Amino acid sequence: MPYATSSNGIKLHYVVDDFTDSWRDAPWIVLQHGFGRNTSFWYKWVPMLAGHFRVLRLDMRGFGKSREGFAIEQGFALDDLANDVVRVLDHAGIASAHFVGEAFGGTLGMQVASQYPDRIRTLNLLSAPVILLPKLHNTFALGEASWGDFLAKYGAKKWAEQTNSLSRFPTSVPQGFLDWYSEGMGQTDGPTLARFTQLCQQYDQTRFLAGITAPVLGVYSNSREEQVELLRANVKKLSVVHIDTACFMIYLAFPRLCADAVLHHAATHEGFPVGEQSW
């Protein structure tokens, strides 16, 4: 089980999935989870990507298996999180990769691509906010004084259970899936996630967008047009795919549509087909 080490000693867990042809020097795709999630949430994506690209999934500090050496008192800073990504790439021997970030994972990716342009081949954003709108902070508080107060008091699992119906998923998803999602969120302790909300309430990645030189793909639902407009106004090389839904968690609700869009974007950049091998 590979671990890189952050600049301040936190063990950063990652997983490599590689089912590419052994004689090919296949390019890399990095999958970065978002708020409260971990590497296991990408399980549907791995079979769709790992035959074409070498795939690296990483746990953000404080989440999943990246907890050794992490202290809640340290809090979270985007500069640290961006540097963590680079430390993982260095540890895995990856010079550059296609970066895929869901929700906050994409928010982080905007900064990584701007600050470390030589490490990012393409940037792929899945429902990634440039800035988190204030109305969402109130919605996620669920009657408590703040979003973080609810998480600290009741934990991540209960918070997920009570917010799953707030435009996260379409109404057609089965209850078993919702239970799986809530259980997975519950693997993160409430106080850690509560501290993370402090970062979520203050970030604004607009200042990094103009510095992104890699081609950018934005995959967004119809309900996130304000985020797409910020990207259109500031990103030089932008393509957008809209998923016809109001729900936010499109990478889990519509994994095939999202993964196909990312696969096409990355493969086009590399100049190879993603269908049947042509010899």
Side-chain angles (χ1 to χ4, degrees), residues 166-205:
L166 301 178
S167 78
R168 182 174 290 138
F169 300 113
T171 56
S172 59
V173 299
Q175 186 60 46
F177 171 87
L178 296 176
D179 293 342
W180 166 84
Y181 179 85
S182 298
E183 289 286 346
M185 287 288 292
Q187 293 176 21
T188 301
D189 66 278
T192 296
L193 209 48
R195 187 63 183 264
F196 196 81
T197 65
Q198 296 177 17
L199 173 59
C200 294
Q201 292 175 45
Q202 65 188 24
Y203 72 74
D204 182 349
Q205 299 298 76

CSV table of all heavy atoms in Angstrom, one decimal, residues 166-205:
chain,number,residue,atom,x,y,z
A,166,LEU,N,-30.9,16.8,-1.2
A,166,LEU,CA,-30.8,18.2,-1.6
A,166,LEU,C,-30.1,18.4,-2.9
A,166,LEU,O,-29.0,18.9,-2.9
A,166,LEU,CB,-30.1,18.9,-0.5
A,166,LEU,CG,-30.8,18.9,0.9
A,166,LEU,CD1,-29.9,19.6,1.9
A,166,LEU,CD2,-32.2,19.5,0.8
A,167,SER,N,-30.6,17.8,-4.0
A,167,SER,CA,-30.0,17.9,-5.3
A,167,SER,C,-28.7,17.2,-5.5
A,167,SER,O,-28.0,17.4,-6.5
A,167,SER,CB,-29.9,19.4,-5.7
A,167,SER,OG,-28.7,20.0,-5.2
A,168,ARG,N,-28.3,16.3,-4.6
A,168,ARG,CA,-27.1,15.6,-4.8
A,168,ARG,C,-27.3,14.5,-5.8
A,168,ARG,O,-26.4,14.3,-6.7
A,168,ARG,CB,-26.6,15.0,-3.4
A,168,ARG,CG,-25.3,14.2,-3.6
A,168,ARG,CD,-24.8,13.8,-2.2
A,168,ARG,NE,-24.3,14.9,-1.4
A,168,ARG,CZ,-24.6,15.1,-0.1
A,168,ARG,NH1,-25.3,14.2,0.5
A,168,ARG,NH2,-24.2,16.2,0.5
A,169,PHE,N,-28.4,13.7,-5.7
A,169,PHE,CA,-28.6,12.6,-6.6
A,169,PHE,C,-30.0,12.7,-7.2
A,169,PHE,O,-30.9,13.3,-6.6
A,169,PHE,CB,-28.5,11.3,-5.8
A,169,PHE,CG,-27.2,11.0,-5.2
A,169,PHE,CD1,-27.0,11.0,-3.8
A,169,PHE,CD2,-26.0,10.9,-6.0
A,169,PHE,CE1,-25.8,10.8,-3.2
A,169,PHE,CE2,-24.8,10.6,-5.4
A,169,PHE,CZ,-24.6,10.6,-4.0
A,170,PRO,N,-30.2,12.1,-8.3
A,170,PRO,CA,-31.6,12.0,-8.9
A,170,PRO,C,-32.5,11.1,-8.0
A,170,PRO,O,-32.0,10.2,-7.3
A,170,PRO,CB,-31.4,11.4,-10.3
A,170,PRO,CG,-30.1,10.7,-10.2
A,170,PRO,CD,-29.2,11.5,-9.2
A,171,THR,N,-33.7,11.3,-8.1
A,171,THR,CA,-34.7,10.5,-7.3
A,171,THR,C,-34.7,9.1,-7.7
A,171,THR,O,-35.2,8.3,-6.9
A,171,THR,CB,-36.1,11.1,-7.4
A,171,THR,OG1,-36.5,11.2,-8.8
A,171,THR,CG2,-36.1,12.6,-6.8
A,172,SER,N,-34.2,8.7,-8.8
A,172,SER,CA,-34.3,7.4,-9.3
A,172,SER,C,-33.2,6.4,-8.7
A,172,SER,O,-33.3,5.2,-8.9
A,172,SER,CB,-34.1,7.3,-10.8
A,172,SER,OG,-32.8,7.9,-11.2
A,173,VAL,N,-32.2,7.0,-8.0
A,173,VAL,CA,-31.2,6.1,-7.4
A,173,VAL,C,-31.8,5.2,-6.3
A,173,VAL,O,-32.6,5.7,-5.5
A,173,VAL,CB,-30.0,6.9,-6.9
A,173,VAL,CG1,-29.3,7.7,-8.0
A,173,VAL,CG2,-30.3,7.8,-5.7
A,174,PRO,N,-31.4,4.0,-6.2
A,174,PRO,CA,-31.9,3.1,-5.2
A,174,PRO,C,-31.5,3.4,-3.8
A,174,PRO,O,-30.4,4.0,-3.6
A,174,PRO,CB,-31.4,1.7,-5.6
A,174,PRO,CG,-30.2,1.9,-6.4
A,174,PRO,CD,-30.4,3.3,-7.1
A,175,GLN,N,-32.2,3.0,-2.8
A,175,GLN,CA,-31.9,3.3,-1.4
A,175,GLN,C,-30.6,2.6,-1.0
A,175,GLN,O,-29.8,3.2,-0.2
A,175,GLN,CB,-33.0,2.8,-0.5
A,175,GLN,CG,-32.8,3.1,1.0
A,175,GLN,CD,-32.7,4.6,1.2
A,175,GLN,OE1,-33.5,5.4,0.7
A,175,GLN,NE2,-31.8,5.1,2.0
A,176,GLY,N,-30.3,1.5,-1.6
A,176,GLY,CA,-29.0,0.8,-1.3
A,176,GLY,C,-27.8,1.6,-1.7
A,176,GLY,O,-26.8,1.7,-0.9
A,177,PHE,N,-27.9,2.3,-2.8
A,177,PHE,CA,-26.9,3.2,-3.2
A,177,PHE,C,-26.7,4.4,-2.2
A,177,PHE,O,-25.6,4.7,-1.8
A,177,PHE,CB,-27.2,3.8,-4.6
A,177,PHE,CG,-26.2,4.9,-5.0
A,177,PHE,CD1,-25.0,4.6,-5.6
A,177,PHE,CD2,-26.5,6.2,-4.8
A,177,PHE,CE1,-24.1,5.6,-6.0
A,177,PHE,CE2,-25.7,7.2,-5.2
A,177,PHE,CZ,-24.5,6.9,-5.8
A,178,LEU,N,-27.8,5.0,-1.8
A,178,LEU,CA,-27.8,6.1,-0.8
A,178,LEU,C,-27.2,5.6,0.5
A,178,LEU,O,-26.4,6.4,1.1
A,178,LEU,CB,-29.2,6.6,-0.6
A,178,LEU,CG,-29.8,7.3,-1.8
A,178,LEU,CD1,-31.3,7.7,-1.5
A,178,LEU,CD2,-29.0,8.5,-2.3
A,179,ASP,N,-27.5,4.4,0.9
A,179,ASP,CA,-26.9,3.9,2.2
A,179,ASP,C,-25.4,3.7,2.0
A,179,ASP,O,-24.7,4.0,2.9
A,179,ASP,CB,-27.6,2.5,2.5
A,179,ASP,CG,-29.1,2.7,2.9
A,179,ASP,OD1,-29.5,3.8,3.2
A,179,ASP,OD2,-29.8,1.7,2.9
A,180,TRP,N,-25.0,3.1,0.9
A,180,TRP,CA,-23.6,3.0,0.6
A,180,TRP,C,-22.8,4.3,0.6
A,180,TRP,O,-21.8,4.4,1.2
A,180,TRP,CB,-23.4,2.3,-0.8
A,180,TRP,CG,-22.0,2.4,-1.3
A,180,TRP,CD1,-20.9,1.5,-1.0
A,180,TRP,CD2,-21.4,3.3,-2.2
A,180,TRP,NE1,-19.8,1.9,-1.6
A,180,TRP,CE2,-20.1,3.0,-2.3
A,180,TRP,CE3,-22.0,4.5,-2.8
A,180,TRP,CZ2,-19.2,3.8,-3.2
A,180,TRP,CZ3,-21.1,5.2,-3.6
A,180,TRP,CH2,-19.8,4.9,-3.8
A,181,TYR,N,-23.4,5.3,0.0
A,181,TYR,CA,-22.8,6.6,0.0
A,181,TYR,C,-22.7,7.2,1.4
A,181,TYR,O,-21.6,7.7,1.8
A,181,TYR,CB,-23.6,7.6,-0.9
A,181,TYR,CG,-23.0,9.0,-0.9
A,181,TYR,CD1,-22.0,9.3,-1.8
A,181,TYR,CD2,-23.5,10.0,-0.1
A,181,TYR,CE1,-21.5,10.6,-1.9
A,181,TYR,CE2,-22.9,11.2,-0.1
A,181,TYR,CZ,-21.9,11.5,-1.0
A,181,TYR,OH,-21.4,12.8,-1.0
A,182,SER,N,-23.7,7.1,2.2
A,182,SER,CA,-23.7,7.6,3.6
A,182,SER,C,-22.7,6.9,4.4
A,182,SER,O,-22.0,7.5,5.2
A,182,SER,CB,-25.1,7.6,4.2
A,182,SER,OG,-26.0,8.4,3.4
A,183,GLU,N,-22.6,5.6,4.3
A,183,GLU,CA,-21.6,4.8,5.0
A,183,GLU,C,-20.2,5.2,4.7
A,183,GLU,O,-19.4,5.3,5.5
A,183,GLU,CB,-21.8,3.3,4.8
A,183,GLU,CG,-23.1,2.7,5.4
A,183,GLU,CD,-23.0,2.5,6.9
A,183,GLU,OE1,-21.8,2.6,7.4
A,183,GLU,OE2,-24.0,2.3,7.5
A,184,GLY,N,-20.0,5.4,3.4
A,184,GLY,CA,-18.7,5.9,2.9
A,184,GLY,C,-18.3,7.2,3.5
A,184,GLY,O,-17.2,7.5,3.9
A,185,MET,N,-19.3,8.1,3.5
A,185,MET,CA,-19.0,9.5,4.1
A,185,MET,C,-18.7,9.4,5.6
A,185,MET,O,-17.9,10.1,6.1
A,185,MET,CB,-20.2,10.4,3.8
A,185,MET,CG,-20.4,10.9,2.4
A,185,MET,SD,-19.1,12.1,1.9
A,185,MET,CE,-19.6,13.5,2.9
A,186,GLY,N,-19.4,8.4,6.2
A,186,GLY,CA,-19.2,8.2,7.6
A,186,GLY,C,-17.9,7.7,8.0
A,186,GLY,O,-17.5,7.7,9.2
A,187,GLN,N,-17.0,7.3,7.1
A,187,GLN,CA,-15.7,6.9,7.4
A,187,GLN,C,-14.8,8.1,7.8
A,187,GLN,O,-13.7,7.9,8.4
A,187,GLN,CB,-15.0,6.2,6.2
A,187,GLN,CG,-15.7,4.9,5.9
A,187,GLN,CD,-15.1,4.2,4.6
A,187,GLN,OE1,-14.0,4.5,4.2
A,187,GLN,NE2,-15.9,3.3,4.0
A,188,THR,N,-15.2,9.3,7.5
A,188,THR,CA,-14.5,10.5,7.9
A,188,THR,C,-15.2,11.0,9.2
A,188,THR,O,-16.4,11.1,9.3
A,188,THR,CB,-14.6,11.6,6.8
A,188,THR,OG1,-14.1,11.1,5.6
A,188,THR,CG2,-13.9,12.9,7.2
A,189,ASP,N,-14.3,11.3,10.2
A,189,ASP,CA,-14.9,11.8,11.4
A,189,ASP,C,-15.5,13.2,11.3
A,189,ASP,O,-14.9,14.0,10.5
A,189,ASP,CB,-13.9,11.7,12.6
A,189,ASP,CG,-12.7,12.7,12.4
A,189,ASP,OD1,-11.8,12.3,11.6
A,189,ASP,OD2,-12.8,13.7,13.0
A,190,GLY,N,-16.5,13.4,12.1
A,190,GLY,CA,-17.2,14.7,12.0
A,190,GLY,C,-16.4,15.9,12.2
A,190,GLY,O,-16.4,16.9,11.5
A,191,PRO,N,-15.5,15.9,13.3
A,191,PRO,CA,-14.7,17.1,13.6
A,191,PRO,C,-13.7,17.4,12.4
A,191,PRO,O,-13.5,18.6,12.2
A,191,PRO,CB,-14.0,16.7,14.9
A,191,PRO,CG,-14.9,15.8,15.5
A,191,PRO,CD,-15.5,15.0,14.4
A,192,THR,N,-13.2,16.4,11.8
A,192,THR,CA,-12.3,16.7,10.6
A,192,THR,C,-13.0,17.4,9.5
A,192,THR,O,-12.6,18.4,8.9
A,192,THR,CB,-11.6,15.4,10.1
A,192,THR,OG1,-10.8,14.8,11.1
A,192,THR,CG2,-10.8,15.6,8.9
A,193,LEU,N,-14.2,16.9,9.2
A,193,LEU,CA,-15.0,17.4,8.1
A,193,LEU,C,-15.5,18.8,8.5
A,193,LEU,O,-15.6,19.7,7.7
A,193,LEU,CB,-16.2,16.5,7.8
A,193,LEU,CG,-16.7,16.5,6.3
A,193,LEU,CD1,-15.5,16.4,5.3
A,193,LEU,CD2,-17.7,15.4,6.1
A,194,ALA,N,-15.8,19.0,9.8
A,194,ALA,CA,-16.3,20.3,10.3
A,194,ALA,C,-15.1,21.3,10.1
A,194,ALA,O,-15.4,22.5,9.6
A,194,ALA,CB,-16.7,20.2,11.7
A,195,ARG,N,-13.9,20.9,10.3
A,195,ARG,CA,-12.8,21.9,10.1
A,195,ARG,C,-12.6,22.1,8.6
A,195,ARG,O,-12.2,23.3,8.2
A,195,ARG,CB,-11.5,21.3,10.7
A,195,ARG,CG,-10.3,22.2,10.7
A,195,ARG,CD,-10.6,23.4,11.6
A,195,ARG,NE,-9.5,24.4,11.5
A,195,ARG,CZ,-8.5,24.4,12.5
A,195,ARG,NH1,-8.5,23.6,13.5
A,195,ARG,NH2,-7.6,25.4,12.4
A,196,PHE,N,-12.8,21.2,7.8
A,196,PHE,CA,-12.7,21.3,6.4
A,196,PHE,C,-13.7,22.4,5.8
A,196,PHE,O,-13.4,23.1,4.9
A,196,PHE,CB,-12.9,20.0,5.7
A,196,PHE,CG,-12.4,20.0,4.3
A,196,PHE,CD1,-11.0,19.8,4.0
A,196,PHE,CD2,-13.2,20.1,3.2
A,196,PHE,CE1,-10.5,19.8,2.7
A,196,PHE,CE2,-12.8,20.1,1.9
A,196,PHE,CZ,-11.4,19.9,1.6
A,197,THR,N,-14.9,22.5,6.4
A,197,THR,CA,-15.9,23.4,6.0
A,197,THR,C,-15.3,24.9,6.1
A,197,THR,O,-15.8,25.7,5.4
A,197,THR,CB,-17.2,23.3,6.7
A,197,THR,OG1,-17.0,23.6,8.1
A,197,THR,CG2,-17.8,21.9,6.6
A,198,GLN,N,-14.4,25.1,7.0
A,198,GLN,CA,-13.9,26.4,7.2
A,198,GLN,C,-13.2,26.9,5.9
A,198,GLN,O,-13.2,28.0,5.5
A,198,GLN,CB,-13.0,26.5,8.4
A,198,GLN,CG,-13.7,26.3,9.7
A,198,GLN,CD,-12.7,26.3,10.9
A,198,GLN,OE1,-11.6,26.8,10.8
A,198,GLN,NE2,-13.1,25.7,12.0
A,199,LEU,N,-12.4,25.9,5.3
A,199,LEU,CA,-11.8,26.2,4.0
A,199,LEU,C,-12.9,26.4,2.9
A,199,LEU,O,-12.7,27.3,2.1
A,199,LEU,CB,-10.9,25.1,3.6
A,199,LEU,CG,-10.2,25.1,2.2
A,199,LEU,CD1,-9.4,26.4,2.0
A,199,LEU,CD2,-9.4,23.9,2.0
A,200,CYS,N,-13.9,25.6,2.9
A,200,CYS,CA,-14.9,25.6,1.9
A,200,CYS,C,-15.7,27.0,1.9
A,200,CYS,O,-16.2,27.4,0.9
A,200,CYS,CB,-15.9,24.5,2.0
A,200,CYS,SG,-15.2,22.8,1.7
A,201,GLN,N,-15.7,27.6,3.1
A,201,GLN,CA,-16.5,28.8,3.2
A,201,GLN,C,-15.7,30.1,2.8
A,201,GLN,O,-16.2,31.2,2.7
A,201,GLN,CB,-16.9,29.0,4.7
A,201,GLN,CG,-18.0,28.0,5.1
A,201,GLN,CD,-18.3,28.1,6.6
A,201,GLN,OE1,-18.5,29.2,7.1
A,201,GLN,NE2,-18.4,27.0,7.2
A,202,GLN,N,-14.4,29.9,2.4
A,202,GLN,CA,-13.6,31.0,2.1
A,202,GLN,C,-12.8,31.0,0.8
A,202,GLN,O,-12.3,32.0,0.3
A,202,GLN,CB,-12.5,31.3,3.2
A,202,GLN,CG,-11.5,30.2,3.4
A,202,GLN,CD,-10.6,30.3,4.6
A,202,GLN,OE1,-11.0,31.0,5.6
A,202,GLN,NE2,-9.5,29.8,4.6
A,203,TYR,N,-12.8,29.8,0.1
A,203,TYR,CA,-12.0,29.8,-1.1
A,203,TYR,C,-12.6,30.5,-2.2
A,203,TYR,O,-13.9,30.5,-2.3
A,203,TYR,CB,-11.6,28.3,-1.4
A,203,TYR,CG,-12.7,27.4,-2.0
A,203,TYR,CD1,-13.2,27.6,-3.3
A,203,TYR,CD2,-13.3,26.4,-1.2
A,203,TYR,CE1,-14.2,26.8,-3.8
A,203,TYR,CE2,-14.3,25.6,-1.7
A,203,TYR,CZ,-14.7,25.8,-3.0
A,203,TYR,OH,-15.7,25.0,-3.5
A,204,ASP,N,-11.8,31.0,-3.1
A,204,ASP,CA,-12.2,31.6,-4.4
A,204,ASP,C,-11.1,31.3,-5.4
A,204,ASP,O,-10.1,32.0,-5.3
A,204,ASP,CB,-12.5,33.1,-4.3
A,204,ASP,CG,-13.0,33.7,-5.6
A,204,ASP,OD1,-13.0,33.0,-6.6
A,204,ASP,OD2,-13.5,34.8,-5.5
A,205,GLN,N,-11.3,30.4,-6.3
A,205,GLN,CA,-10.2,30.0,-7.2
A,205,GLN,C,-10.2,30.8,-8.5
A,205,GLN,O,-9.4,30.5,-9.4
A,205,GLN,CB,-10.4,28.5,-7.6
A,205,GLN,CG,-10.3,27.5,-6.4
A,205,GLN,CD,-9.0,27.6,-5.7
A,205,GLN,OE1,-8.7,28.5,-4.9
A,205,GLN,NE2,-8.2,26.6,-5.9
